[in-house]
Amino acid sequence: MTRKELAKGSPLSWQETKQKASHVRKHGLKQFINIYNKTKDTRSPALKWGDEIEYMIIALDQSAKTAHVSLRSNEILESLQREEIENPETARFLWRPEYGAYMVEGTPGKPYSGVLKDLLTVEPCMIQRRKEIQKYLKSNEIAVTLTSYPRLACPFFSEPPLPQESSSSKSTFFPDMAINHMYPRYRAITFNTRERRGDDYHIRIPVMKDQLTRNSITEVFEFEEEEVEETLTESIPNFVCYDSVDGMGYCCLQVTFQAFNMDEARTLYDQLAPICPILLALTAASPVHRGFLTGTDCRWNIISQCVDCRTKEERGLEPLSRDRFIIPKSRYDSISAYISNEGSRYVKLLILMYNDVPVVLNDHYLLELLEAGVEEPIARHIAHLFVRDPLVLFSEKVDQEDEKEIDHFDNIQSTNWQTVRLKLPLPDTDVGWRVEFRPCEVQITDFENAAFVCFIALLTRIILSYKLNFLIPISKVDENMKRSQEKDAIKNCKFYFNSNPFDSDSDEVTEMTINEIINGKDGYFSGLIPLVESFLNATEIEAETHQRLHDYLRLISGRASGELQTAASWIRSFVRSHPSYKFDSQVTEEITYDLITAINQLEQGTRKEPLLYGY
Ligand code: ADP
Ligand code: MG
Ligand code: MG
């Protein structure tokens, strides 16, 4: 979304939005068909690509030993965006708001071009971006790239502190003012998700049982009903709870690649999907939630549950009467189907080889798309995205000229938060077919973020150059997504993987460890890093580039083998070895302060952690 679009608009109430849902879908579909017809043959010979990093602003209080999220992101954003407003063509970075009033998102001002040439510019761009934010911070503030703030939604987790009041999310834990209020879209998403869903959230994150962890955690829930306020105390055996869209307050790392044409974009979309859980496990960075060490290492499933706006009927808990579909997945989930010709074909007596999970889709839309000439797998993809309602509708955007505008399409597309996203060309510009890779947790240092971004960029090159086939049945990708988020998944889990990627028909699905997938398994699978290395060796690149890429690959190889820790396991051991930790799973204000200080030192290079980085 552009800066202007995000700022403008008065959201309609949920009732009005719901009433206009069919209107949005109907016109969104027409808009899609128009863009598709205009752009389906678009070719983009120039490879362009770019990352997105989300930052959290933290206010430190040295004497009180607290590190709270600082709700100043809009003030900071105003300064950050000045350069773009004055000189949109030459701005070095683009800054965007995010859900939390303590978050900002930064991307390069222009996409990188040509993979090998630009790989070495990624890390300096990230370093400069961070320096740019730092310019506008108060002396007690720092910008960290931390996936989950450890005490998010704990009492008084922000600066300034906020009372825990009833809010648009009806959350007991996450006050409204912690949601970015300058951009009405975020509160509207929060409120409407809740309204659409209808019943209460009961998100349970298992607490990691330590030596002295109590058997139950007492949570206070407040319910407001007919002006009678009731406070219930519920004893929950060993789970941390969320009760609203709070999870949108986590940070992540994303990368977008432009493809040569639509077919190449479809191939990349498919081939990257089975890579998502592997990279999620490798980037795992969020073991602490609401002040407790938990049994999970990643944000993904938590967000997935937090933004799950499906009604009871759609979740299959009640027979369908008002709603139209049982929808197996949240809007925020792994993809439901492959869309390339190879990925979506029927083989073996009409049994689906890779798309083995039924995909819920809107039949009328499918027909309309097919009649308009949209290729079947894409038509199915869009008819699938379009089973969702719009979550937010701005009153100014209700009536649109479908030939010229694309907001209704964007509305549905941009609230289908899947692990990979197919982005359409922008008509009448040089922006072509693109694929966004979305699962990664953001890493503590720019070195690590650059390492993962470059690794993913190189994976896209080997996929295309060697015509690799990583496809495995979607049901296995789903299973891998579950495993990838378990505590210490790299050490403890095996993952389904296509061990014969050089065969385009391969259905050799094997369970391998992440180490075997990344570093190779003798006589069995060459390994992603050796494949990348052979690609690099066959390409002319400068020694300096090779050396830096080698450092990046060594980091990823070490994480995969277990020689180096993921951020999640490092954070876990930091907490458990803190002098004031009581082995009761609780991550106190003081531990959080020391953890965030240590994270800042790692980022600044003033603290060494050989277990994380190998030096
Ligand atoms: P969104 O939030 O919708 O995913 P953003 O605009 O925040 O998208 O970020 C998209 C990323 O794609 C940025 O890193 C940007 O540099 C990059 N990018 C911009 N134009 C192109 C392009 N033509 N091809 C590939 N990537 C691009
Ligand atoms: Mg973005
Ligand atoms: Mg994005």
Side-chain angles (χ1 to χ4, degrees):
M1 246 194 222
T2 66
R3 192 175 48 74
K4 272 195 237 139
E5 280 162 358
L6 261 171
K8 273 194 301 192
S10 348
L12 296 177
S13 72
W14 169 243
Q15 282 317 319
E16 291 166 312
T17 307
K18 176 77 189 162
Q19 275 165 14
K20 300 239 179 283
S22 298
H23 167 89
V24 171
R25 275 191 296 262
K26 187 173 139 204
H27 290 278
L29 204 74
K30 292 208 167 12
Q31 293 171 4
F32 168 81
I33 290 170
N34 283 333
I35 312 171
Y36 180 89
N37 283 332
K38 272 190 212 161
T39 64
K40 62 178 189 291
D41 299 322
T42 300
R43 289 169 172 234
S44 315
L47 172 63
K48 293 183 181 171
W49 59 293
D51 65 84
E52 295 165 73
I53 292 189
E54 291 168 351
Y55 302 82
M56 265 182 207
I57 315 296
I58 305 281
L60 299 172
D61 184 334
Q62 239 173 12
S63 53
K65 280 199 166 266
T66 59
H68 292 155
V69 297
S70 168
L71 306 180
R72 282 204 326 116
S73 67
N74 284 315
E75 266 172 83
I76 295 166
L77 199 63
E78 210 182 308
S79 307
L80 286 170
Q81 287 186 327
R82 211 169 295 137
E83 186 181 345
E84 183 192 351
I85 293 169
E86 286 165 9
N87 291 307
E89 285 308 308
T90 57
R92 294 162 304 150
F93 317 107
L94 303 180
W95 300 100
R96 298 290 175 263
E98 257 304 329
Y99 182 81
Y102 49 87
M103 295 162 73
V104 288
E105 180 194 280
T107 65
K110 290 258 173 320
Y112 311 119
S113 56
V115 169
L116 293 172
K117 187 162 111 322
D118 267 11
L119 284 176
L120 282 207
T121 65
V122 174
E123 193 177 339
C125 174
M126 291 176 177
I127 293 171
Q128 289 307 320
R129 248 179 276 172
R130 197 184 291 263
K131 285 207 170 120
E132 190 68 12
I133 305 182
Q134 282 162 347
K135 274 195 206 162
Y136 305 107
L137 300 180
K138 291 184 179 167
S139 60
N140 67 327
E141 285 173 334
I142 53 173
V144 292
T145 38
L146 184 60
T147 297
S148 67
Y149 172 71
R151 292 180 56 81
L152 191 76
C154 287
F156 307 111
F157 68 104
S158 66
E159 173 55 42
L162 298 171
Q164 304 236 307
E165 56 192 14
S166 71
S167 58
S168 43
S169 60
K170 295 201 184 144
S171 170
T172 314
F173 312 115
F174 200 89
D176 257 9
M177 287 300 287
I179 305 170
N180 191 328
H181 59 278
M182 289 272 285
Y183 297 85
R185 167 183 155 85
Y186 296 115
R187 280 198 191 174
I189 285 186
T190 311
F191 184 77
N192 294 352
T193 297
R194 183 86 189 204
E195 287 294 298
R196 189 183 189 290
R197 180 183 166 99
D199 63 333
D200 279 332
Y201 284 80
H202 290 291
I203 299 163
R204 304 274 192 263
I205 312 167
V207 168
M208 185 196 88
K209 190 120 176 71
D210 216 330
Q211 293 151 17
L212 300 174
T213 307
R214 281 178 293 136
N215 278 332
S216 67
I217 287 161
T218 304
E219 296 273 23
V220 178
F221 292 91
E222 285 183 12
F223 299 98
E224 244 183 287
E225 265 170 24
E226 293 167 11
E227 295 173 22
V228 184
E229 267 195 33
E230 203 182 339
T231 302
L232 293 184
T233 308
E234 203 185 329
S235 271
I236 300 132
N238 260 314
F239 288 97
V240 180
C241 301
Y242 272 121
D243 64 349
S244 83
V245 191
D246 317 347
M248 294 278 276
Y250 291 136
C251 293
C252 71
L253 171 70
Q254 299 174 338
V255 206
T256 296
F257 300 94
Q258 183 162 274
F260 175 64
N261 57 16
M262 178 172 75
D263 284 349
E264 191 178 286
R266 291 164 63 190
T267 299
L268 273 180
Y269 178 96
D270 283 7
Q271 295 298 335
L272 287 174
I275 303 289
C276 288
I278 312 303
L279 267 288
L280 181 56
L282 281 166
T283 56
S286 41
V288 185
H289 302 275
R290 286 205 51 231
F292 285 92
L293 277 172
T294 67
T296 182
D297 273 3
C298 300
R299 79 201 186 288
W300 190 273
N301 271 351
I302 300 171
I303 305 184
S304 174
Q305 295 177 70
C306 285
V307 298
D308 190 356
C309 65
R310 291 172 301 160
T311 63
K312 276 190 172 167
E313 293 181 15
E314 288 170 337
R315 276 175 280 145
L317 302 175
E318 284 176 1
L320 285 177
S321 64
R322 272 164 307 161
D323 291 310
R324 296 163 303 158
F325 307 104
I326 294 178
I327 309 179
K329 286 180 171 179
S330 161
R331 303 174 87 108
Y332 191 109
D333 217 313
S334 189
I335 64 159
S336 299
Y338 296 117
I339 57 172
S340 67
N341 291 335
E342 303 75 44
S344 57
R345 78 203 136 141
Y346 294 78
V347 283
K348 297 190 185 159
L349 300 172
L350 280 183
I351 307 273
L352 290 169
M353 191 177 180
Y354 299 124
N355 277 338
D356 66 335
V357 170
V359 178
V360 45
L361 41 80
N362 185 316
D363 289 331
H364 297 293
Y365 293 159
L366 177 62
L367 212 61
E368 192 177 334
L369 289 157
L370 291 173
E371 278 171 4
V374 178
E375 285 191 46
E376 186 176 338
I378 304 266
R380 295 178 68 85
H381 173 65
I382 299 296
H384 163 64
L385 299 185
F386 272 63
V387 299
R388 310 282 172 175
D389 277 346
L391 272 180
V392 181
L393 181 60
F394 288 137
S395 60
E396 298 83 349
K397 294 280 184 190
V398 175
D399 295 312
Q400 301 199 356
E401 287 183 66
D402 294 337
E403 286 293 330
K404 291 187 189 148
E405 290 171 281
I406 58 171
D407 287 79
H408 288 324
F409 169 69
D410 263 355
N411 191 333
I412 304 288
Q413 154 103 330
S414 71
T415 50
N416 268 278
W417 296 284
Q418 300 182 344
T419 39
V420 273
R421 179 179 286 163
L422 181 72
K423 293 177 168 177
L424 298 173
L426 300 179
D428 310 319
T429 70
D430 65 350
V431 178
W433 288 91
R434 289 151 300 150
V435 173
E436 183 182 20
F437 187 79
R438 303 166 46 82
C440 291
E441 306 230 314
V442 73
Q443 304 295 289
I444 294 170
T445 62
D446 293 323
F447 167 69
E448 294 161 280
N449 285 316
F452 279 104
V453 164
C454 290
F455 180 56
I456 297 157
L458 287 166
L459 283 181
T460 64
R461 294 314 94 187
I462 62 167
I463 287 168
L464 297 174
S465 307
Y466 298 152
K467 298 197 171 25
L468 298 181
N469 172 27
F470 290 133
L471 302 187
I472 56 173
I474 287 284
S475 60
K476 298 279 191 283
V477 179
D478 287 347
E479 176 57 29
N480 281 353
M481 278 301 284
K482 285 196 198 119
R483 296 181 186 180
S484 64
Q485 302 175 57
E486 285 177 21
K487 175 173 164 280
D488 295 324
I490 290 182
K491 259 192 240 152
N492 302 331
C493 298
K494 287 194 166 186
F495 293 82
Y496 294 105
F497 207 76
N498 189 329
S499 53
N500 190 8
F502 287 97
D503 175 358
S504 61
D505 280 333
S506 167
D507 55 0
E508 282 178 41
V509 181
T510 323
E511 283 184 276
M512 286 193 271
T513 61
I514 297 246
N515 185 30
E516 290 162 347
I517 293 169
I518 294 289
N519 292 317
K521 185 173 178 184
D522 258 354
Y524 206 73
F525 175 60
S526 22
L528 296 180
I529 286 193
L531 283 170
V532 164
E533 269 165 351
S534 71
F535 172 79
L536 290 174
N537 290 335
T539 324
E540 268 183 42
I541 45 172
E542 288 170 9
E544 187 200 359
T545 312
H546 212 149
Q547 183 52 48
R548 197 55 175 159
L549 293 181
H550 188 70
D551 295 342
Y552 292 160
L553 294 178
R554 209 173 45 194
L555 173 86
I556 292 163
S557 165
R559 293 265 161 96
S561 69
E563 189 189 321
L564 300 178
Q565 291 182 319
T566 59
S569 50
W570 177 77
I571 291 172
R572 219 182 270 288
S573 29
F574 184 96
V575 169
R576 294 194 74 244
S577 56
H578 191 278
S580 76
Y581 179 64
K582 300 216 166 52
F583 294 89
D584 56 357
S585 314
Q586 296 213 40
V587 182
T588 57
E589 292 265 23
E590 185 189 347
I591 299 176
T592 302
Y593 173 83
D594 287 334
L595 174 67
I596 289 189
T597 307
I599 281 171
N600 192 40
Q601 290 164 343
L602 286 175
E603 211 297 307
Q604 301 292 315
T606 54
R607 182 188 173 104
K608 300 278 168 249
E609 278 299 347
L611 282 178
L612 263 178
Y613 306 115
Y615 56 84

